[in-house]
Amino acid sequence: MLALGSDQGGYALKQEIIKYLEEREVPYKDFGSYNEESVDYPIYGKAVAKSVASGECEKGILICGTGIGISITANKVKGIRAALCTDCFMAEATRLHNDANILALGGRVVGPGLAVKIVDTFLNTPFSGEERHQRRISMIEEE
Ligand code: RB5
């Protein structure tokens, strides 16, 4: 199950991503927000991050205007590795190297065509499993 969340700055792009997911029958849970009214992005960033950290959802996609505020929020939750990506190279690299479990996007930064390609890359690239990357990921959680 894929967790989705956005604020008003990411709502329109989230709808495009939902269209893409539904066409491919990818199961998702939308944690809101559900329209373009002004809201506080940390509410949605935390909800999605907690659902991924708890195992309720396997991965997440978070979208605010820039992708910055919502990714900062998600990365405060233990076990979350949220990656703000603006192209497919970043999406591929963050799966291969960082085993990122949340993709963050900027609804005012990337257009829908590029965004769905980034999502596709993120969802379909496995973690490399290489020892050096696993070691570095473990170090992230160390005090
Ligand atoms: C909301 O206007 C905007 O600040 C938010 O979507 C996001 O870009 C924050 O980082």
Side-chain angles (χ1 to χ4, degrees), residues 7-10 39 41 64-70 108:
D7 70 356
Q8 70 278 11
V39 290
Y41 61 78
C64 66
T66 58
I68 297 172
I70 211 155
R108 297 173 183 149

PDB file of all heavy atoms in Angstrom, residues 7-10 39 41 64-70 108, ligand 1:
ATOM      1  N   ASP A   7      -0.320  19.157   0.739  1.00  0.00           N
ATOM      2  CA  ASP A   7      -1.049  20.353   1.178  1.00  0.00           C
ATOM      3  C   ASP A   7      -1.670  20.969  -0.080  1.00  0.00           C
ATOM      4  O   ASP A   7      -1.707  20.324  -1.138  1.00  0.00           O
ATOM      5  CB  ASP A   7      -0.124  21.315   1.953  1.00  0.00           C
ATOM      6  CG  ASP A   7       0.914  21.996   1.055  1.00  0.00           C
ATOM      7  OD1 ASP A   7       0.975  21.668  -0.154  1.00  0.00           O
ATOM      8  OD2 ASP A   7       1.656  22.851   1.569  1.00  0.00           O
ATOM      9  N   GLN A   8      -2.110  22.207   0.050  1.00  0.00           N
ATOM     10  CA  GLN A   8      -2.758  22.847  -1.105  1.00  0.00           C
ATOM     11  C   GLN A   8      -1.805  23.024  -2.284  1.00  0.00           C
ATOM     12  O   GLN A   8      -2.215  22.978  -3.437  1.00  0.00           O
ATOM     13  CB  GLN A   8      -3.384  24.198  -0.697  1.00  0.00           C
ATOM     14  CG  GLN A   8      -2.393  25.322  -0.380  1.00  0.00           C
ATOM     15  CD  GLN A   8      -1.831  25.254   1.030  1.00  0.00           C
ATOM     16  OE1 GLN A   8      -2.006  24.266   1.726  1.00  0.00           O
ATOM     17  NE2 GLN A   8      -1.164  26.326   1.456  1.00  0.00           N
ATOM     18  N   GLY A   9      -0.515  23.179  -1.983  1.00  0.00           N
ATOM     19  CA  GLY A   9       0.475  23.373  -3.044  1.00  0.00           C
ATOM     20  C   GLY A   9       0.766  22.098  -3.813  1.00  0.00           C
ATOM     21  O   GLY A   9       1.344  22.131  -4.899  1.00  0.00           O
ATOM     22  N   GLY A  10       0.363  20.958  -3.250  1.00  0.00           N
ATOM     23  CA  GLY A  10       0.616  19.684  -3.907  1.00  0.00           C
ATOM     24  C   GLY A  10      -0.642  18.964  -4.341  1.00  0.00           C
ATOM     25  O   GLY A  10      -0.577  17.902  -4.974  1.00  0.00           O
ATOM     26  N   VAL A  39      -3.814  24.713   4.170  1.00  0.00           N
ATOM     27  CA  VAL A  39      -3.671  23.822   5.333  1.00  0.00           C
ATOM     28  C   VAL A  39      -2.197  23.833   5.766  1.00  0.00           C
ATOM     29  O   VAL A  39      -1.360  24.441   5.113  1.00  0.00           O
ATOM     30  CB  VAL A  39      -4.097  22.364   4.990  1.00  0.00           C
ATOM     31  CG1 VAL A  39      -5.598  22.261   4.785  1.00  0.00           C
ATOM     32  CG2 VAL A  39      -3.335  21.848   3.762  1.00  0.00           C
ATOM     33  N   TYR A  41       1.128  21.870   6.089  1.00  0.00           N
ATOM     34  CA  TYR A  41       1.734  20.650   5.510  1.00  0.00           C
ATOM     35  C   TYR A  41       2.272  19.652   6.550  1.00  0.00           C
ATOM     36  O   TYR A  41       2.279  18.450   6.284  1.00  0.00           O
ATOM     37  CB  TYR A  41       2.821  20.998   4.480  1.00  0.00           C
ATOM     38  CG  TYR A  41       3.982  21.791   5.029  1.00  0.00           C
ATOM     39  CD1 TYR A  41       4.989  21.195   5.762  1.00  0.00           C
ATOM     40  CD2 TYR A  41       4.060  23.172   4.825  1.00  0.00           C
ATOM     41  CE1 TYR A  41       6.042  21.929   6.288  1.00  0.00           C
ATOM     42  CE2 TYR A  41       5.101  23.915   5.336  1.00  0.00           C
ATOM     43  CZ  TYR A  41       6.089  23.286   6.073  1.00  0.00           C
ATOM     44  OH  TYR A  41       7.119  24.016   6.598  1.00  0.00           O
ATOM     45  N   CYS A  64       4.176  19.053  -1.422  1.00  0.00           N
ATOM     46  CA  CYS A  64       3.758  20.407  -1.065  1.00  0.00           C
ATOM     47  C   CYS A  64       4.202  21.322  -2.196  1.00  0.00           C
ATOM     48  O   CYS A  64       4.551  20.826  -3.272  1.00  0.00           O
ATOM     49  CB  CYS A  64       4.284  20.821   0.314  1.00  0.00           C
ATOM     50  SG  CYS A  64       6.065  20.993   0.469  1.00  0.00           S
ATOM     51  N   GLY A  65       4.184  22.614  -2.000  1.00  0.00           N
ATOM     52  CA  GLY A  65       4.530  23.518  -3.099  1.00  0.00           C
ATOM     53  C   GLY A  65       5.926  23.258  -3.643  1.00  0.00           C
ATOM     54  O   GLY A  65       6.135  23.126  -4.846  1.00  0.00           O
ATOM     55  N   THR A  66       6.877  23.178  -2.730  1.00  0.00           N
ATOM     56  CA  THR A  66       8.271  22.938  -3.121  1.00  0.00           C
ATOM     57  C   THR A  66       8.714  21.504  -2.875  1.00  0.00           C
ATOM     58  O   THR A  66       9.751  21.086  -3.396  1.00  0.00           O
ATOM     59  CB  THR A  66       9.204  23.831  -2.290  1.00  0.00           C
ATOM     60  OG1 THR A  66       8.977  23.537  -0.906  1.00  0.00           O
ATOM     61  CG2 THR A  66       8.954  25.304  -2.559  1.00  0.00           C
ATOM     62  N   GLY A  67       8.016  20.805  -2.011  1.00  0.00           N
ATOM     63  CA  GLY A  67       8.459  19.480  -1.547  1.00  0.00           C
ATOM     64  C   GLY A  67       9.395  19.584  -0.353  1.00  0.00           C
ATOM     65  O   GLY A  67       9.749  18.567   0.249  1.00  0.00           O
ATOM     66  N   ILE A  68       9.779  20.800  -0.006  1.00  0.00           N
ATOM     67  CA  ILE A  68      10.793  20.972   1.047  1.00  0.00           C
ATOM     68  C   ILE A  68      10.186  20.810   2.446  1.00  0.00           C
ATOM     69  O   ILE A  68      10.643  19.981   3.241  1.00  0.00           O
ATOM     70  CB  ILE A  68      11.503  22.340   0.907  1.00  0.00           C
ATOM     71  CG1 ILE A  68      12.270  22.408  -0.418  1.00  0.00           C
ATOM     72  CG2 ILE A  68      12.477  22.550   2.075  1.00  0.00           C
ATOM     73  CD1 ILE A  68      12.836  23.782  -0.739  1.00  0.00           C
ATOM     74  N   GLY A  69       9.180  21.610   2.749  1.00  0.00           N
ATOM     75  CA  GLY A  69       8.614  21.570   4.106  1.00  0.00           C
ATOM     76  C   GLY A  69       8.102  20.188   4.472  1.00  0.00           C
ATOM     77  O   GLY A  69       8.334  19.684   5.589  1.00  0.00           O
ATOM     78  N   ILE A  70       7.448  19.543   3.530  1.00  0.00           N
ATOM     79  CA  ILE A  70       6.822  18.250   3.817  1.00  0.00           C
ATOM     80  C   ILE A  70       7.885  17.148   3.936  1.00  0.00           C
ATOM     81  O   ILE A  70       7.731  16.215   4.723  1.00  0.00           O
ATOM     82  CB  ILE A  70       5.719  17.961   2.756  1.00  0.00           C
ATOM     83  CG1 ILE A  70       4.598  17.133   3.354  1.00  0.00           C
ATOM     84  CG2 ILE A  70       6.283  17.384   1.466  1.00  0.00           C
ATOM     85  CD1 ILE A  70       3.266  17.277   2.659  1.00  0.00           C
ATOM     86  N   ARG A 108       4.770  22.844  -7.253  1.00  0.00           N
ATOM     87  CA  ARG A 108       5.003  24.073  -8.000  1.00  0.00           C
ATOM     88  C   ARG A 108       6.364  24.042  -8.680  1.00  0.00           C
ATOM     89  O   ARG A 108       6.853  25.067  -9.155  1.00  0.00           O
ATOM     90  CB  ARG A 108       4.908  25.273  -7.049  1.00  0.00           C
ATOM     91  CG  ARG A 108       3.515  25.427  -6.440  1.00  0.00           C
ATOM     92  CD  ARG A 108       3.467  26.497  -5.367  1.00  0.00           C
ATOM     93  NE  ARG A 108       2.129  26.552  -4.778  1.00  0.00           N
ATOM     94  CZ  ARG A 108       1.884  26.896  -3.524  1.00  0.00           C
ATOM     95  NH1 ARG A 108       2.883  27.233  -2.711  1.00  0.00           N
ATOM     96  NH2 ARG A 108       0.655  26.911  -3.054  1.00  0.00           N
TER      97      ARG A 108
HETATM   98  C1  RB5 B   1       2.552  26.602   1.200  1.00  0.00           C
HETATM   99  O1  RB5 B   1       2.287  27.845   0.639  1.00  0.00           O
HETATM  100  C2  RB5 B   1       3.998  26.238   1.004  1.00  0.00           C
HETATM  101  O2  RB5 B   1       4.777  26.883   1.942  1.00  0.00           O
HETATM  102  C3  RB5 B   1       4.176  24.743   1.097  1.00  0.00           C
HETATM  103  O3  RB5 B   1       3.415  24.123   0.123  1.00  0.00           O
HETATM  104  C4  RB5 B   1       5.576  24.207   0.910  1.00  0.00           C
HETATM  105  O4  RB5 B   1       6.148  24.684  -0.271  1.00  0.00           O
HETATM  106  C5  RB5 B   1       6.473  24.332   2.058  1.00  0.00           C
HETATM  107  O5  RB5 B   1       7.647  23.925   2.039  1.00  0.00           O
END
